């Protein structure tokens, strides 16, 4: 069985190597016809830009996307510099340089990868998934009888911030940097998925289609690991299946199919303020111009945020969303599960968490207020805050860096819920409701606790669960996502996730702490 695992690891690394090296392959040649069609399609008025592209790019063959991108971006920069010096603002192309280069690269790509997309899919995604499964499936036998086994987790370089963990971090961070800021460098990945994209939405794959497909693939593959590791725990099995369903169907397939039907692609589970651009001008314009479907999406998005979310949190806690529905939580619980023990349990981390996550919530609300005010009034700013600046700042700092580069890229070092714990504005909103008005709590049987510390060690939100269990105190924390791992790893059955009446939800610990109390009063109050 160990031999099969090693073979699987080799196959996975081969697939990953081909996937990565494909970025440096291919052939790019922009024809005059493609350039003319691109300029007409984009409505570009700049003749100097056309001249620069003809001079530096057209009919030249580039060996990879990096060389092609450099030539295109230089042409764009030279043309725009001249327009800005002459104050010809209507001729300036305001597209981001790498986005502009990506769009041209899609029309100029050729070579082995584009011409053999199906073969490349099997050599990259196919080998990667096959290798990962061969590496994980033998654990059904190697791990012995069903039961959670975290043996050696602090002795492995991959799960204890060793060299493997740092390599994974570097790869993930690089991936997100390319995805968000240099999409033209990963255009070959879109060629590999073009056939699948055309089948789903009728168009070529974008970098976001690549991300969505890769996201689902990683979640499904790592879910197999979850099913094996937690196969004795029905709650974990059902919860894992739930996040897979909502990610694949609601976050990926439905939006793509809607796009193929000329409808605005929308993730019906994505609630504001996690869906921070829901009230941006371009989205509101798209929805209001899309007829009854757009109007339904607009109403649904508002009702989801203001009614459905708080009502569901009241009855079931924030776990209904963060651990059963949310795509961010789904990736954290599958890909990030090996790193959950790295969450910081210190008091300082808790203080940073409280201030930071609520600051992001306030930031998102301020941005939305400014955006809506400017949308309805036609103004460009509110109280000196320019609408475009605040949207760009939030998208860059929170949407790209915090949620993507740091939130996912730093799994191997900071744990799997960095974004959910410190940055997600929706988690902050859900947490406020859960803390003050929810039936959810984790009950503890303090008399059975042996202080082993498993619960605290594997709490991905950094809660010192053991401290509550030792006192027999209910765990009512705004940050708790109800993943249930603390209960699953407890060898004595001390912890239980429950929904119950509000009375007695936050129970007293006076007796256990040795305080002088009236015992009969407590008996009568909580009998």
């Amino acid at each position: 069985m160990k031999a099969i695992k090693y073979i699987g690891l080799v196959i996975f690394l081969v697939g990953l190597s081909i996937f990565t090296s494909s970025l440096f392959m291919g052939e790019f040649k922009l024809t005059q016809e493609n350039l003319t069609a691109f300029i007409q399609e984009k409505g570009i008025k700049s003749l100097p830009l056309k001249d620069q592209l003809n001079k530096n790019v057209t009919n030249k063959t580039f060996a990879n996307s990096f060389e092609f991108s450099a030539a295109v971006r230089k042409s764009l920069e030279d043309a725009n510099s001249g327009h800005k010096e002459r104050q010809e603002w209507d001729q300036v192309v305001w597209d981001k340089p790498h986005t502009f280069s990506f769009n041209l690269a899609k029309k100029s790509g050729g070579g082995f990868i584009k011409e053999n997309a199906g073969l490349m899919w099997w050599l990259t995604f196919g080998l990667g998934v096959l290798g990962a499964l061969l590496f994980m499936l033998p654990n059904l036998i190697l791990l012995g009888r069903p039961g959670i086994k975290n043996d050696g987790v602090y002795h492995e370089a991959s799960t204890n911030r060793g060299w493997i963990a740092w390599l994974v971090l570097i790869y993930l961070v690089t991936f997100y940097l390319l995805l968000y800021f240099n999409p033209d460098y990963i255009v070959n990945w879109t060629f590999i998925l073009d056939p699948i994209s055309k089948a789903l939405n009728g168009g070529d794959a974008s970098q976001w289609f690549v991300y969505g497909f890769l996201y689902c693939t990683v979640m499904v593959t790592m879910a197999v690991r979850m099913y094996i590791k937690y196969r004795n725990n029905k709650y974990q099995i059902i919860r894992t299946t739930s996040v897979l369903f909502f990610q694949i169907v609601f976050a990926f397939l439905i939006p793509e199919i809607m796009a193929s039907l000329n409808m605005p692609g929308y993730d019906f589970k994505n609630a504001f303020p996690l869906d921070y651009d829901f009230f941006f001008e371009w989205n509101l314009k798209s929805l209001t111009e899309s007829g009854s479907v757009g109007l339904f999406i607009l109403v649904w998005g508002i009702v989801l945020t203001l009614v459905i979310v708080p009502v569901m949190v009241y009855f079931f806690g924030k776990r209904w969303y963060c651990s059963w529905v949310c795509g961010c939580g789904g990736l954290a619980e599958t890909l990030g599960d090996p790193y959950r023990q790295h969450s910081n349990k210190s008091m300082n981390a808790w203080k940073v968490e409280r201030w930071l996550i609520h600051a992001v919530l306030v930031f998102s609300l301020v941005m939305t207020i400014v955006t809506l005010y400017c949308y309805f009034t036609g103004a460009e700013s509110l109280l000196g805050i320019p609408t475009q600046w605040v949207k760009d700042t939030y998208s860059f700092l929170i949407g790209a860096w915090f949620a993507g580069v740091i939130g996912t890229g730093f799994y191997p070092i900071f744990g799997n819920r960095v974004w959910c714990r410190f940055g997600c504005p929706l988690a902050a909103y859900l947490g406020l409701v859960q803390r003050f008005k929810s039936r959810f709590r984790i009950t503890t049987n303090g008399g059975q606790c042996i202080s082993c510390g498993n619960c605290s060690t594997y709490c991905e939100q950094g809660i010192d669960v053991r401290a509550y269990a030792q006192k027999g105190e209910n765990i009512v924390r705004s940050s708790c996502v109800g993943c249930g791992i603390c209960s699953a790893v407890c060898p004595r059955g001390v912890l239980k996730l429950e929904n119950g009446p509000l009375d007695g939800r936050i129970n007293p610990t006076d007796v256990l702490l040795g305080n002088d109390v009236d015992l009969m009063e407590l008996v009568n109050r909580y009998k």
Side-chain angles (χ1 to χ4, degrees):
M1 285 299 166
K2 288 186 177 180
I4 295 176
K5 284 177 67 73
Y6 291 136
I7 292 173
L9 179 60
V10 171
I11 293 175
F12 171 79
L13 291 176
V14 169
L16 182 64
S17 298
I18 296 174
F19 182 70
T20 305
S21 62
S22 66
L23 297 179
F24 305 92
M25 300 166 61
E27 180 181 288
F28 294 85
K29 185 176 182 180
L30 179 64
T31 64
Q32 185 64 54
E33 292 77 14
N34 284 339
L35 176 60
T36 302
F38 177 79
I39 289 176
Q40 293 176 349
E41 177 185 328
K42 294 292 184 179
I44 296 173
K45 302 177 182 179
S46 174
L47 292 178
L49 175 58
K50 184 176 181 180
D51 293 338
Q52 288 287 340
L53 289 173
N54 280 324
K55 174 184 175 182
N56 300 325
V57 183
T58 304
N59 294 325
K60 293 184 178 181
T61 301
F62 297 88
N64 54 61
S65 61
F66 299 93
E67 295 179 2
F68 180 83
S69 171
V72 171
R73 287 184 287 112
K74 183 180 184 303
S75 301
L76 179 63
E77 181 182 354
D78 291 344
N80 279 344
S81 296
H83 290 313
K84 291 176 181 178
E85 288 178 3
R86 296 186 296 270
Q87 297 187 354
E88 298 169 343
W89 306 112
D90 62 325
Q91 297 189 48
V92 175
V93 177
W94 297 103
D95 290 3
K96 295 178 180 178
H98 285 281
T99 302
F100 183 85
S101 174
F102 172 83
N103 292 329
L104 265 182
K106 286 292 291 184
K107 293 183 175 295
S108 309
F112 181 83
I113 294 178
K114 188 171 184 179
E115 295 170 2
N116 298 274
L119 175 62
M120 285 301 299
W121 189 94
W122 283 108
L123 292 176
T124 53
F125 287 93
L127 287 181
V129 172
L130 175 62
L133 292 178
L134 287 176
F135 183 78
M136 292 183 292
L137 288 175
N139 286 335
L140 277 169
I141 296 175
L142 293 176
L143 292 179
R145 297 175 58 187
I148 301 171
K149 298 176 177 64
N150 289 310
D151 302 6
V153 70
Y154 283 108
H155 296 278
E156 300 289 341
S158 58
T159 55
N160 191 31
R161 302 187 177 115
W163 65 273
I164 296 178
W166 282 100
L167 286 179
V168 173
L169 179 146
I170 292 171
Y171 193 92
L172 288 174
V173 167
T174 302
F175 169 79
Y176 275 96
L177 290 175
L178 293 176
L179 177 73
Y180 282 110
F181 307 116
N182 305 97
D184 46 344
Y185 293 163
I186 61 173
V187 68
N188 280 339
W189 289 348
T190 69
F191 293 147
I192 296 174
L193 295 179
D194 272 344
I196 299 176
S197 177
K198 290 176 181 177
L200 287 176
N201 61 41
D204 290 336
S206 66
Q207 79 266 35
W208 301 117
F209 185 89
V210 171
Y211 184 47
F213 186 85
L214 186 60
Y215 204 104
C216 293
T217 302
V218 170
M219 277 187 60
V220 171
T221 305
M222 291 300 291
V224 174
R225 176 187 175 277
M226 292 287 289
Y227 288 138
I228 295 173
K229 181 177 180 180
Y230 299 104
R231 61 189 185 276
N232 67 312
N233 192 300
K234 185 181 296 185
Y235 182 84
Q236 299 303 325
I237 296 297
I238 298 176
R239 186 173 69 89
T240 301
T241 305
S242 175
V243 292
L244 286 181
F245 169 77
F246 281 102
Q247 174 60 32
I248 295 172
V249 176
F250 279 78
F252 184 67
L253 291 179
I254 290 179
E256 295 297 333
I257 295 173
M258 291 179 69
S260 71
L261 300 174
N262 293 320
M263 299 179 184
Y266 181 67
D267 179 359
F268 285 91
K269 67 172 178 54
N270 201 15
F272 174 86
L274 178 60
D275 185 12
Y276 64 87
D277 58 4
F278 184 78
F279 293 106
F280 280 12
E281 292 95 330
W282 62 266
N283 190 52
L284 293 177
K285 182 179 179 181
S286 173
L287 295 179
T288 53
E289 293 178 353
S290 299
S292 57
V293 173
L295 180 61
F296 173 78
I297 292 174
L298 182 60
V299 174
W300 168 260
I302 296 173
V303 172
L304 176 64
T305 299
L306 299 180
V307 180
I308 298 176
V309 163
V311 169
M312 290 291 285
V313 174
Y314 170 77
F315 284 105
F316 305 108
K318 64 191 288 187
R319 61 174 169 162
W320 84 269
Y321 193 88
C322 297
S323 289
W324 288 72
V325 173
C326 180
C328 301
L331 190 67
E333 296 293 346
T334 51
L335 177 63
D337 181 72
Y339 312 112
R340 62 173 57 250
Q341 67 274 7
H342 295 322
S343 60
N344 194 320
K345 279 80 175 178
S346 69
M347 182 66 72
N348 288 334
W350 178 60
K351 291 178 180 178
V352 171
E353 170 194 325
R354 288 190 304 163
W355 282 100
L356 190 54
I357 194 170
H358 293 106
V360 174
L361 175 60
V362 171
F363 188 3
S364 68
L365 294 177
V366 170
M367 174 192 66
T368 302
I369 292 171
V370 173
T371 300
L372 289 176
Y373 173 83
C374 294
Y375 175 77
F376 287 111
T377 64
E380 295 184 356
S381 64
L382 173 63
L383 300 177
I385 305 176
T387 178
Q388 194 60 48
W389 174 83
V390 72
K391 289 187 299 183
D392 289 345
T393 301
Y394 188 95
S395 299
F396 177 76
L397 294 179
I398 309 302
W401 274 97
F402 207 159
V405 178
I406 298 174
T408 304
F410 281 73
Y411 275 1
I413 305 301
F414 294 150
N416 61 326
R417 287 276 189 172
V418 176
W419 163 246
C420 309
R421 181 183 178 188
F422 293 98
C424 178
L426 181 59
Y429 171 38
L430 298 174
L432 289 173
V433 180
Q434 175 169 280
R435 176 63 180 81
F436 297 106
K437 202 68 176 178
S438 175
R439 293 166 55 86
F440 174 72
R441 84 290 307 272
I442 300 178
T443 59
T444 62
N445 182 355
Q448 292 292 320
C449 180
I450 59 174
S451 299
C452 66
N454 280 349
C455 52
S456 293
T457 297
Y458 295 103
C459 176
E460 59 193 0
Q461 290 294 101
I463 300 172
D464 188 2
V465 181
R466 179 173 59 178
Y468 289 87
Q470 289 172 331
K471 296 182 292 185
E473 182 179 0
N474 290 349
I475 302 171
V476 181
R477 290 282 291 271
S478 61
S479 59
C480 177
V481 295
C483 67
I485 296 297
C486 60
S487 175
V489 298
C490 178
R492 301 278 289 175
V494 173
L495 305 162
K496 186 177 181 181
L497 283 67
E498 294 185 1
N499 301 310
L502 294 178
D503 291 340
R505 176 171 171 256
I506 302 179
N507 62 332
T509 59
D510 292 337
V511 176
L512 291 172
L513 294 178
N515 296 339
D516 185 12
V517 297
D518 186 338
L519 296 180
M520 291 308 300
E521 179 188 353
L522 292 176
V523 169
N524 292 329
R525 187 189 307 173
Y526 298 105
K527 64 181 179 180

